[in-house]
Amino acid sequence: MKIRKILSRISATLVASAALATATGAQTQSNAEKLRLMAQFYGVATYALGANDQCDLLDQGEYRGLVVLRDALARDLSRATTAEVFASLDHAPTGVKDWKRGCLARRAHDTEWRRIDNARLIAHALQAAPAVMTRDPEKCWTGNMAEKLPRSDWALVAALAARHHANGDRATFDGLQKMFAGLIDTDCARTQGSSLLQAGFDALWLAEDNARADAADNGPGSSLAGKYQSVVVAKELGPWRLRRGAFNGSWPRDGINAFRLVDRGDTDTAFLYLTSIGLFGGPRGELFFRPKGGWTARLGGNAAAVALSLSDGTTMPLTKLSGSGSEGLGSARFELPKSSIAALAGKADATVIHIKWQDGDGKWTSFYGLGKDPQPQKFTLAQLREAIAWAVVPRPE
């Protein structure tokens, strides 16, 4: 994306602190001014992403918007500056440092919070941008998800985003929305797709998924409501705000899936997919993790037993709480005993854990992961601990 070429038609005024203030009509800008503007957008986005590692500040749509904007700007900035200058533009380390002790109080940290508010404003405007595109958004792919959404869906996204900016910053929101629409129009004309569409896609998916928590049916009513029901996270975990890791819509992700939930507590906040391979299949399901150490396996298929196999030679059986039916068509639920949870707390981060199940004949078989060529499912305690720590960072008061 040639952002500098687009910005030559856009004027954006930034306050002295490098936080965004307004975005207005077209005028000529020098290359230096364009680069300064790009650097300020990049700095605002990276600062918020760094701070979000320490405090639950961004939801899925906001986070995705800042990531795709950061990545788009990085391509031009890295070519237009030296490596040293480009590295200095990344304010993620500053965000981490400012918020390293958790969430800051607004009344005592106005500067830091203003940066977060500006970043969220930018992300919301990016989410809303497709609604005012000149081109038909339904003819443009949403980046690597290869989805095309009608303008009616994007109008819903824009309405959700605009709710946050009904007062003093609405003019800024509207100006940025039009600016980002121009960027997306250019992308779509050139490649029939734009990664910048992912911000709104994620915001809409989050709203539709959370509407299905507890079997509720009060979502926005977009086309995604009927497309993404194979993996509805909110039905299992409850309403959530942010998913850890790379973007892949609601499709299953191998490895540990961690979520920042709307309702906090010692409830399931991460899980690992468990699958079986072979001609006749076997049990499959998820291994759920709770912040205080609870591990629960919920299976579609009635395994006789389930156990953890640790790289230090330890075997930890799970307690079977229920089970019925056959190995392939039944169901079962297992839980790790508290004594085993306590023992795991003393294990080294590098400890590798495999999960296996036993059939009615006493044969033990590994659970497998996802993908075209699935491998025996495994993870380290470090990976689990990092995922849980990310999921339960503090939330602003």
Side-chain angles (χ1 to χ4, degrees):
M1 177 194 310
K2 298 296 184 182
I3 290 183
R4 279 177 287 172
K5 292 183 179 179
I6 301 299
L7 289 177
S8 66
R9 298 185 284 109
I10 303 294
S11 171
T13 303
L14 299 164
V15 298
S17 65
L20 180 66
T22 60
T24 57
Q27 69 179 34
T28 302
Q29 292 177 304
S30 68
N31 285 335
E33 288 171 332
K34 297 170 201 172
L35 285 173
R36 180 178 61 83
L37 176 60
M38 291 166 62
Q40 289 170 331
F41 271 75
Y42 184 77
V44 169
T46 53
Y47 179 89
L49 291 170
N52 190 62
D53 285 341
Q54 313 300 314
C55 175
D56 186 5
L57 296 166
L58 306 172
D59 67 22
Q60 183 75 9
E62 294 161 352
Y63 177 84
R64 183 57 50 192
L66 296 178
V67 167
V68 296
L69 182 62
R70 175 201 66 190
D71 293 348
L73 289 168
R75 290 191 287 271
D76 279 341
L77 287 170
S78 61
R79 288 193 292 264
T81 61
T82 66
E84 182 178 4
V85 170
F86 176 63
S88 72
L89 300 177
D90 184 354
H91 292 175
T94 304
V96 171
K97 180 180 178 181
D98 287 351
W99 298 75
K100 66 180 180 180
R101 295 184 179 178
C103 301
L104 302 177
R106 275 188 176 271
R107 61 183 179 274
H109 298 276
D110 179 70
T111 298
E112 292 86 352
W113 267 104
R114 189 162 60 248
R115 291 169 180 164
I116 300 301
D117 291 340
N118 289 328
R120 295 180 71 242
L121 171 61
I122 291 170
H124 293 155
L126 182 55
Q127 293 171 16
V132 295
M133 287 173 58
T134 300
R135 300 178 66 85
D136 182 358
E138 196 167 8
K139 296 181 179 179
C140 193
W141 301 107
T142 58
N144 61 5
M145 276 304 292
E147 283 282 354
K148 294 180 178 179
L149 301 183
R151 193 178 293 273
S152 58
D153 279 1
W154 293 117
L156 292 171
V157 176
L160 291 171
R163 293 182 306 173
H164 301 283
H165 308 286
N167 299 316
D169 57 2
R170 183 55 188 263
T172 305
F173 173 87
D174 291 341
L176 285 171
Q177 181 188 22
K178 293 177 182 178
M179 184 188 80
F180 287 131
L183 296 176
I184 297 171
D185 270 323
T186 299
D187 271 356
C188 293
R190 182 169 54 89
T191 65
Q192 291 74 56
S194 176
S195 64
L196 297 180
L197 290 167
Q198 291 181 4
F201 182 99
D202 266 28
L204 188 58
W205 171 53
L206 176 66
E208 291 288 10
D209 191 30
N210 278 344
R212 279 151 184 78
D214 301 322
D217 190 19
N218 57 346
S222 71
S223 63
L224 289 185
K227 291 181 179 179
Y228 284 82
Q229 296 185 9
S230 60
V231 181
V232 184
V233 177
K235 283 186 176 181
E236 292 287 352
L237 303 183
W240 56 282
R241 286 175 43 79
L242 184 61
R243 181 180 190 173
R244 185 173 185 248
F247 174 80
N248 67 340
S250 66
W251 300 113
R253 178 184 295 144
D254 208 1
I256 296 172
N257 294 258
F259 293 80
R260 289 181 179 171
L261 304 180
V262 172
D263 298 322
R264 295 297 185 95
D266 190 31
T267 60
D268 298 327
T269 192
F271 63 88
L272 186 79
Y273 284 105
L274 306 175
T275 67
S276 296
I277 62 173
L279 180 61
F280 298 103
R284 60 186 60 215
E286 296 86 26
L287 178 61
F288 291 90
F289 306 98
R290 298 191 294 276
K292 293 184 179 180
W295 297 37
T296 303
R298 302 176 196 168
L299 304 179
N302 187 14
V306 171
L308 308 180
S309 179
L310 280 59
S311 56
D312 64 4
T314 304
T315 296
M316 294 183 174
L318 278 69
T319 301
K320 189 169 186 177
L321 303 179
S322 63
S324 63
S326 66
E327 293 169 359
L329 298 176
S331 64
R333 186 168 177 264
F334 296 81
E335 189 166 271
L336 192 64
K338 292 182 179 180
S339 58
S340 296
I341 294 171
L344 284 173
K347 300 286 185 181
D349 281 348
T351 303
V352 179
I353 296 178
H354 290 79
I355 308 97
K356 55 187 181 180
W357 64 278
Q358 186 184 50
D359 63 18
D361 296 327
K363 178 183 176 182
W364 285 95
T365 304
S366 292
F367 279 110
Y368 281 72
L370 303 173
K372 295 181 179 179
D373 183 24
Q375 301 299 311
Q377 191 64 280
K378 65 178 181 179
F379 60 95
T380 66
L381 284 178
Q383 290 170 328
L384 176 60
R385 288 163 179 166
E386 289 168 2
I388 295 295
W390 175 91
V392 299
V393 294
R395 179 172 296 167
E397 296 181 0

